Amino acid sequence: MNSPLYWGLVAAAGQGRRMARDDLPKQYHRLAGRSVLAWSVDALRQVSGMAGVMVVRARGDDSDWARLGLDSATDVRSCRGGHTRQASVLAGLEALRAWGAADGDRVLVHDAARPAVTAAAIQRLIEAVGDDRDGGLLAVPVRDTLKRADEHGRVRETADRTGLWQAMTPQLFPLGRLRDALVACADMAVTDEAQAMERGGARPRLVIGDPANIKYTYPDDARWLEHALQDQRKGGDG
């Protein structure tokens, strides 16, 4: 029996309207000399043994995508996403199957808006999950005290953070199991692929990630990510 292949799937179909800059979606913003999307794609491409990377894109971004120059890469392809995160990832999984991925292969689903992920962290995830059919994800334990707010913006209560982790990406699952989980959740709102798997009874493994792997969400994140990406460029992918 052949060993499963590993494929990357980058979710880049969102419009990022909160972060739009001159109508440019945040995945095409430039940080530390490159676009957010290029950083995210290249982190996956640097992982040893990666079969290929599928980028799930938004409609109307042809000119922005073309400027990245990734169409000429033999290990990168793109497809169109849907109106929701689930629909976009499903479209990416089907595109990977058309490319040659099998249901038993492993897929690393990554947010385009997490440009500071490192190939070393992705490799750590792959090694920790191994052949676990429930998959796993990069995450970090919650450090800070958590407050639950009321409708007036005042503290309603302090939440118990025991056992709580902050989920990140990539998230790694067998292609066929992930596709089935997302289809089963078609009428539900799930915030990440792990939640879809959980609804089907899976218990994904939590693998320690890097605190630098934040999601580019607010304007102030740009300054912090610039420093993190510049440090990566200087010191290598450690």
Side-chain angles (χ1 to χ4, degrees):
M1 182 176 179
N2 294 329
S3 298
L5 298 176
Y6 287 85
W7 303 83
L9 191 162
V10 180
Q15 296 297 320
R17 298 191 185 281
R18 281 181 298 178
M19 291 283 290
R21 199 164 61 196
D22 298 327
D23 294 326
L24 188 67
K26 65 181 178 181
Q27 58 266 36
Y28 292 107
H29 292 187
R30 293 184 70 80
L31 297 176
R34 308 177 69 198
S35 75
V36 169
L37 178 55
W39 281 108
S40 297
V41 171
D42 277 357
L44 287 163
R45 295 175 76 192
Q46 290 168 21
V47 175
S48 176
M50 189 70 64
V53 178
M54 180 66 64
V55 180
V56 186
R57 300 194 286 120
R59 298 187 183 280
D61 74 343
D62 288 346
S63 59
D64 297 321
W65 170 253
R67 278 193 287 271
L68 300 187
L70 290 173
D71 276 330
S72 60
T74 59
D75 61 339
V76 178
R77 293 188 184 181
S78 71
C79 68
R80 295 297 186 191
H83 294 296
T84 65
R85 166 69 176 237
Q86 291 146 272
S88 292
V89 173
L90 273 171
L93 295 177
E94 293 304 329
L96 283 175
R97 293 180 76 216
W99 193 359
D103 281 353
D105 287 347
R106 273 40 174 180
V107 180
L108 290 139
V109 182
H110 185 56
D111 292 328
R114 291 187 185 271
V117 71
T118 65
I122 300 171
Q123 190 64 49
R124 187 165 66 246
L125 173 65
I126 290 172
E127 293 172 0
V129 172
D131 60 0
D132 191 330
R133 294 181 68 250
D134 282 357
L137 62 149
L138 291 178
V140 293
V142 171
R143 301 181 180 187
D144 299 320
T145 299
L146 299 176
K147 304 292 185 182
R148 181 170 285 110
D150 64 15
E151 63 273 19
H152 304 295
R154 294 180 177 273
V155 174
R156 173 177 291 168
E157 63 179 350
T158 298
D160 182 5
R161 69 180 184 219
T162 303
L164 292 181
W165 290 58
Q166 179 182 337
M168 296 176 166
T169 65
Q171 301 190 357
L172 170 61
F173 303 105
L175 188 154
R177 289 202 73 195
L178 177 57
R179 185 186 67 237
D180 292 346
L182 290 170
V183 169
C185 290
D187 297 327
M188 311 172 195
V190 295
T191 57
D192 66 357
E193 290 66 49
Q195 186 179 12
M197 293 289 290
E198 292 159 36
R199 288 183 180 275
R203 297 179 62 194
R205 184 179 298 276
L206 293 163
V207 180
I208 288 285
D210 298 325
N213 185 18
I214 68 168
K215 191 171 185 179
Y216 181 39
T217 305
Y218 303 108
D220 286 347
D221 294 337
R223 184 182 306 172
W224 198 95
L225 282 167
E226 286 266 2
H227 288 300
L229 292 168
Q230 286 167 359
D231 286 346
Q232 275 190 35
R233 180 176 283 169
K234 292 174 185 176
D237 184 6

